[in-house]
């Protein structure tokens, strides 16, 4: 390769990298919709191939049908759940003076029960002053959710239209041998499918089981806390304890010792064990991913990709390990 060709080659690589970083930063607010479209495309891929290749249906018609299936089976239920959650929050009294009074009452209970002044009135007032910021963040999250839903639908439609061309292009540019390309794509398909189906299924089951416990033991707003438990399930290790543990402490401080002890027992015996059992079954049925990959993948993924990080965080670590294994097999083992 001549000096001029080398200059052209590395200049083009530099332009691609720099522009790629700029585009990634600018597309960050829409990352949830982009990754969501990628996930749903993988789930619909077999249906797309069956209808277009075996049934010989028009690709545009198939894309519209699969898009309607996505909206009816995924987007509408998800949007309905978010709307119910927001509607439930609107019914909660957020009067600052009453909140200060409630926090002062809890501080007095803690002081009486433990002898320690864990909460000072000044700290309570500063906590309450943060509530408007929380409300703004919540509204921003809801508007961002709506925008990403629109991005998801738009990108998914064009992915369904040009699916085969897109797959061929990605397959050609992957820097692996044919055997390793198949292995990488198989790993991606397996992890995305298992997480996209398994994690929401686990969250729904856990939230329903927790909501039953909250209702039995007379916890405040069982539907709201059951809904929060659904989302807490995705956080590894601690998970549902982020919801039921503060709830138990609150019930105990307000004097409802019987129900608080009952809820603790229910959470430790039923909620926690059902969580472990369902995770074990899903791992064996779908993708036998190591628990540490799932734990650190979710932690890293949530910070990088937001909500979709529960799927793409473990995928990122798994593909990294797979690439390292391929490098070892192709180069290090051969040299030795």
């Amino acid at each position: 390769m001549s000096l001029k060709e080398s200059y052209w080659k590395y200049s083009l690589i530099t332009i691609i990298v720099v522009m790629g970083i700029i585009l990634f930063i600018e597309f960050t607010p829409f990352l949830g919709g982009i990754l969501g479209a990628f996930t749903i495309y993988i789930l619909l891929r077999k249906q797309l191939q069956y209808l277009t290749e075996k049934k010989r249906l028009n690709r545009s018609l198939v894309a519209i049908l699969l898009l309607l299936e996505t909206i009816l089976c995924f987007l509408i239920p998800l949007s309905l759940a978010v709307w119910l959650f927001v509607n439930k929050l609107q019914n909660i009294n957020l009067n600052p003076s009453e909140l200060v009074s409630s926090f002062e009452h809890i501080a007095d209970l803690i002081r009486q029960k433990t002898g320690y002044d864990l909460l000072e009135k000044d700290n309570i007032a500063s906590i309450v002053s943060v509530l408007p910021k929380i409300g703004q963040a919540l509204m921003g999250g809801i508007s961002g959710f709506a925008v990403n839903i629109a991005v998801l639908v738009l990108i998914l439609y064009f992915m369904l239209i040009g699916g085969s061309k897109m797959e061929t292009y990605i397959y050609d540019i992957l820097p692996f041998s044919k055997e390793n390309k198949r292995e990488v794509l198989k790993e991606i398909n397996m992890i995305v499918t298992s997480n996209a189906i398994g994690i929401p299924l686990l969250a729904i089951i856990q939230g329903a089981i927790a909501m039953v416990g909250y209702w039995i033991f007379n916890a405040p707003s069982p539907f709201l806390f059951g809904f929060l438990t659904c989302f807490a399930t995705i956080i590894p290790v601690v998970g549902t304890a982020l919801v039921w543990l503060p709830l138990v402490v609150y019930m105990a401080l307000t004097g409802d010792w019987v129900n608080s002890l009952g809820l603790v027992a229910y959470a430790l015996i039923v909620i926690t064990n059902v969580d472990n059992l369902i995770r074990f079954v899903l791992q064996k049925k779908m993708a036998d991913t190591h628990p540490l990959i799932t734990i650190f993948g979710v932690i890293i993924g949530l910070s990088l990709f937001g909500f979709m990080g529960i799927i793409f965080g473990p995928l990122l670590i798994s593909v990294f390990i797979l690439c390292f294994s391929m490098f070892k097999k192709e180069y290090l083992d051969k040299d030795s």
Side-chain angles (χ1 to χ4, degrees), residues 19-236:
M19 293 188 68
I21 293 173
I22 293 172
L23 289 173
F24 178 81
I25 293 172
E26 294 300 320
F27 275 109
T28 300
F30 313 109
L31 203 56
I34 296 170
L35 296 178
F38 178 76
T39 301
I40 296 176
Y41 174 81
I42 290 178
L43 297 178
L44 298 177
R45 184 172 175 270
K46 291 184 178 180
Q47 293 184 55
L48 177 67
Q49 291 178 341
Y50 175 78
L51 293 173
T52 54
E53 296 176 9
K54 291 189 176 182
K55 294 298 182 180
R56 302 292 182 181
L57 296 179
N58 180 269
R59 182 171 284 272
S60 298
L61 175 62
V62 172
I64 293 173
L65 291 175
L66 293 179
L67 204 60
L68 289 174
E69 177 186 339
T70 301
I71 293 171
L72 292 174
C73 299
F74 175 69
L75 299 182
I76 288 179
L78 181 61
S79 301
L80 182 62
V82 172
W83 178 80
L84 290 173
F85 175 66
V86 173
N87 187 56
K88 192 70 177 178
L89 285 178
Q90 289 177 342
N91 295 329
I92 298 176
N93 188 0
L94 294 179
N95 188 314
S97 61
E98 292 188 9
L99 285 172
V100 170
S101 177
S102 299
F103 277 121
E104 289 177 349
H105 177 64
I106 293 174
D108 291 336
L109 287 173
I110 293 174
R111 194 178 303 109
Q112 293 173 9
K113 302 291 183 181
T114 64
Y116 295 98
D117 189 7
L118 298 178
L119 297 174
E120 296 180 356
K121 294 182 179 181
D122 293 338
N123 293 335
I124 295 172
S126 62
I127 291 172
V128 173
S129 67
V130 178
L131 287 176
K133 297 180 180 179
I134 296 175
Q136 291 174 1
L138 181 62
M139 294 306 297
I142 293 172
S143 61
F145 171 79
V147 170
N148 275 287
I149 289 293
V151 170
L152 186 153
V153 172
L154 181 65
I155 292 178
L156 180 60
Y157 174 75
F158 287 103
M159 290 179 76
L160 293 171
I161 290 290
S164 57
K165 293 180 180 179
M166 179 189 67
E167 291 183 25
T168 302
Y169 181 79
I170 293 174
Y171 188 85
D172 289 338
I173 64 174
L174 286 176
F176 310 120
S177 65
K178 288 185 178 180
E179 179 184 351
N180 289 335
K181 285 180 181 180
R182 287 193 294 268
E183 188 68 24
V184 169
L185 294 175
K186 178 183 175 183
E187 184 81 6
I188 291 174
N189 182 71
M190 181 178 62
I191 293 177
V192 170
T193 303
S194 63
N195 285 351
I197 296 174
I199 291 176
L201 181 62
L202 174 64
I204 292 170
I205 295 173
Q206 280 287 86
I209 291 173
M211 187 168 61
V212 170
Y214 300 150
W215 179 75
I216 291 174
F217 295 102
N218 201 28
S221 302
F223 175 82
L224 175 62
F225 286 104
F227 190 86
L228 292 175
T229 305
C230 286
F231 287 94
T233 303
I234 67 175
I235 302 174

